[in-house]
Amino acid sequence: MSDFDYDLFVIGAGSGGVRAARIAASHGAKVGIAEEYRVGGTCVIRGCVPKKLLVYGAHFAEDLEDCARFGWEVEGKSFDWKKLRDNVADEVDRLEGLYRNTLKGNEVTIHDCRASLGGGHEVKLSDGSSVTAKNILIAVGARPHVPEIEGCQQHAIVSNDVFKLDKLPKRIAISGGGYIANEFAGIFNEFGSTVTIVNRGDRILRGYDHQVRDRLLQISMTKGIRFIFNSTFDKVEKKEDGSLHLTMNGCEDMEVDALLFATGREPNVEGLGLEEAGVKTGDRGAICVDEYSKTSVDHIYAVGDVTDRVQLTPVAIREGHAVADNLFDGQDRTVDYDNIPSAVFSHPPIAAVGLTESEAREKLGGAYKTYTSDFRAMKNVLAGRNERSLYKIVTDANTDVIVGIHMIGPEVPEVMQAAAVAVKAGLTKQAFDDTIALHPTMAEELVLMR
Ligand code: FAD
């Protein structure tokens, strides 16, 4: 008989927490999990999944425009936001049900409560009860950051709110230049809103290759998205008609119907009892962990966004899985953070893996080569859509090993998943050259760059 209620107690049933709970239980551990909102976490409930469904919904605007050149006439087309919103919500409900069933099927006990550390091996639950666990995993994720600007907290929305909007804003300002800002800019623009991205700095998508970023900027501007750089908000006021007056610093004031803040996500650590439990935190409250995701307290682990390593779902899942395997299957697993592919589901999307050109310049001291293919996808040519794709390969000039791939164009995230395997495997540019093209595709450009 164990001295504890559980072998593992997981706080937060999102990407990392659910995976860790399920795997630990499959190894025979007695597992409990607490979730204060909805099982599935950010990714399933208000992140990757509903966002991607909105991206699909938005892209029909272009398909309906382009289809005429392919002989299709669609009469009386119209868009019903509420229908899409509600269908997406139904899909999210379905997925939450599947996640709950998986946990229950693995005999994980779900506590629909908020949880906090009670000191030692105790976890306090918001229903007034408390449990003990031999090991505790903190997988509470992150939440949108909204700056302390007059009127912002009351009148601005964040990504969570987009999925519940009653109606589409005619005019929306989006604060931020990262992937969430650009994805929602694309979505609202395709739905017909007038979109302005306001960025404190002078560039979008920091961390992505400069050529790919510039291409998205140029295409987005051609599609009608307005970009304002080096500007911030001074004040947000709601007017009688419900619209917002934005007092700006660095550009002219604006009148909009919605203001969306997409200015980063901060670890969800408030009220968790970290300090009392002796769990150390670092920048912006992120929980400090070692390579095994162990915190400063021996039996407490943390994975996913709350550790602010790489804020992506597959990374949180990998970390959670590793913790469960190490604790309950005697394995010695760590997560390899090199060459993690990522995407921006903008219109068109971006995908990237490995070093950008400027990172290669810094890291390889100039001993790098780049190859680019700048082309118009066949479908865009017939559709009369003047939108060019760009693929770029960065190699180590001494070894010919591919150290980075960067792409913007239709479906590039789908192409990137396979290309990332090649980069992860350390393949050379010659290996790409030796591969015969699959014709006619857009992806064949990857093996045709000379
Ligand atoms: P989460 O999935 O956030 O789960 C944490 C859970 O803990 C939540 O359910 C929360 O309610 C719960 N919780 C918090 N505190 C407590 C508490 N005290 N007690 C009990 N429960 C608690 N990533 C991608 O890889 N691809 C994408 O395309 C992508 N798109 C995104 C789009 C948006 C709009 C957003 C916001 C994020 C997106 N992400 C994407 C990021 C991805 O969602 C996160 O990296 C991932 O969900 C992190 O998983 P996690 O387990 O750390 O936390």
Side-chain angles (χ1 to χ4, degrees):
M1 271 299 277
S2 164
D3 294 339
F4 304 102
D5 298 324
Y6 293 107
D7 299 316
L8 175 70
F9 195 85
V10 181
I11 306 182
S15 305
V18 167
R19 176 59 69 94
R22 177 169 74 75
I23 299 299
S26 75
H27 290 318
K30 190 172 181 211
V31 184
I33 193 165
E35 171 52 53
E36 67 170 347
Y37 182 52
R38 293 180 65 181
V39 172
T42 304
C43 174
V44 177
I45 306 296
R46 44 200 186 180
C48 331
V49 172
K51 170 211 66 193
K52 185 79 186 280
L53 291 171
L54 292 190
V55 169
Y56 281 130
H59 203 73
F60 279 104
E62 290 187 10
D63 292 338
L64 284 164
E65 228 174 69
D66 294 350
C67 71
R69 289 277 301 156
F70 289 84
W72 293 90
E73 281 307 327
V74 183
E75 275 173 29
K77 53 189 181 196
S78 63
F79 173 65
D80 183 342
W81 160 250
K82 284 189 175 161
K83 192 178 238 174
L84 174 61
R85 183 199 63 189
D86 294 347
N87 287 341
V88 169
D90 288 349
E91 176 58 8
V92 166
D93 290 348
R94 188 184 73 83
L95 290 173
E96 183 184 5
L98 289 181
Y99 272 74
R100 279 185 180 273
N101 286 343
T102 305
L103 288 173
K104 283 184 195 152
N106 280 279
E107 293 180 11
V108 174
T109 307
I110 305 174
H111 297 261
D112 285 296
C113 313
R114 184 173 167 77
S116 57
L117 301 175
H121 289 264
E122 191 192 15
V123 176
K124 288 198 261 184
L125 299 174
S126 56
D127 63 4
S129 65
S130 70
V131 295
T132 56
K134 185 164 186 212
N135 300 284
I136 298 169
L137 175 66
I138 304 172
V140 292
R143 58 166 180 267
H145 166 76
V146 179
E148 296 289 335
I149 294 166
E150 193 181 334
C152 260
Q153 305 287 339
Q154 301 92 307
H155 305 311
I157 59 171
V158 293
S159 57
N160 298 345
D161 306 312
V162 171
F163 307 108
K164 296 182 191 152
L165 284 177
D166 269 341
K167 57 178 191 219
L168 285 172
K170 284 204 173 69
R171 303 157 299 175
I172 181 165
I174 300 178
S175 175
Y179 81 95
I180 295 178
N182 280 281
E183 289 176 343
F184 281 118
I187 290 167
F188 282 112
N189 180 59
E190 299 284 327
F191 289 150
S193 303
T194 301
V195 180
T196 307
I197 286 197
V198 179
N199 199 1
R200 195 169 53 165
D202 60 0
R203 64 187 59 173
I204 56 167
L205 295 174
R206 234 169 344 118
Y208 282 88
D209 193 84
H210 68 281
Q211 272 183 291
V212 162
R213 282 195 261 128
D214 288 350
R215 181 62 54 91
L216 180 66
L217 183 62
Q218 174 230 322
I219 294 175
S220 299
M221 284 164 65
T222 308
K223 287 186 201 285
I225 299 174
R226 197 160 73 110
F227 288 82
I228 296 178
F229 292 107
N230 300 314
S231 297
T232 51
F233 301 87
D234 268 350
K235 200 190 323 177
V236 180
E237 288 162 292
K238 192 161 201 159
K239 303 200 325 192
E240 259 174 31
D241 63 0
S243 66
L244 301 176
H245 179 85
L246 311 180
T247 309
M248 304 299 299
N249 184 357
C251 65
E252 284 191 358
D253 289 1
M254 269 184 259
E255 308 288 329
V256 294
D257 304 295
L259 167 62
L260 169 66
F261 263 87
T263 43
R265 295 174 59 76
E266 57 197 23
N268 242 337
V269 289
E270 231 175 63
L272 257 189
L274 295 177
E275 216 178 291
E276 298 83 335
V279 175
K280 284 206 181 104
T281 54
D283 274 359
R284 301 189 309 143
I287 296 180
C288 303
V289 287
D290 69 8
E291 59 185 325
Y292 294 100
S293 296
K294 187 185 275 197
T295 68
S296 49
V297 177
D298 234 16
H299 62 279
I300 303 181
Y301 294 78
V303 296
D305 285 4
V306 74
T307 62
D308 202 14
R309 287 175 280 188
V310 179
Q311 292 199 344
L312 290 173
T313 283
V315 176
I317 288 176
R318 201 48 88 89
E319 291 167 352
H321 201 129
V323 168
D325 280 347
N326 293 342
L327 283 175
F328 303 107
D329 194 38
Q331 297 188 36
D332 182 17
R333 285 186 60 194
T334 55
V335 175
D336 176 0
Y337 294 92
D338 276 347
N339 293 319
I340 295 171
S342 68
V344 182
F345 293 95
S346 41
H347 295 261
I350 285 176
V353 67
L355 303 182
T356 62
E357 183 176 345
S358 55
E359 285 166 348
R361 188 181 303 126
E362 225 167 81
K363 197 164 174 194
L364 303 174
Y368 72 91
K369 274 191 186 167
T370 61
Y371 302 82
T372 52
S373 175
D374 191 333
F375 64 99
R376 193 142 72 112
M378 192 192 254
K379 189 174 165 216
N380 281 348
V381 176
L382 191 67
R385 181 171 287 281
N386 190 16
E387 196 176 294
R388 298 186 71 81
S389 302
L390 181 76
Y391 288 11
K392 179 171 182 177
I393 290 180
V394 186
T395 65
D396 180 327
N398 292 322
T399 59
D400 193 40
V401 168
I402 298 178
V403 294
I405 301 183
H406 310 277
M407 299 190 271
I408 177 166
E411 308 298 346
V412 292
E414 303 293 340
V415 178
M416 181 55 85
Q417 182 64 83
V421 176
V423 178
K424 189 78 189 159
L427 295 191
T428 57
K429 172 73 169 50
Q430 188 61 48
F432 274 42
D433 295 348
D434 292 344
T435 306
I436 292 182
L438 198 164
H439 183 72
T441 61
M442 296 174 278
E444 70 180 309
E445 293 300 324
L446 273 180
V447 298
L448 297 175
M449 288 183 222
R450 296 290 186 267

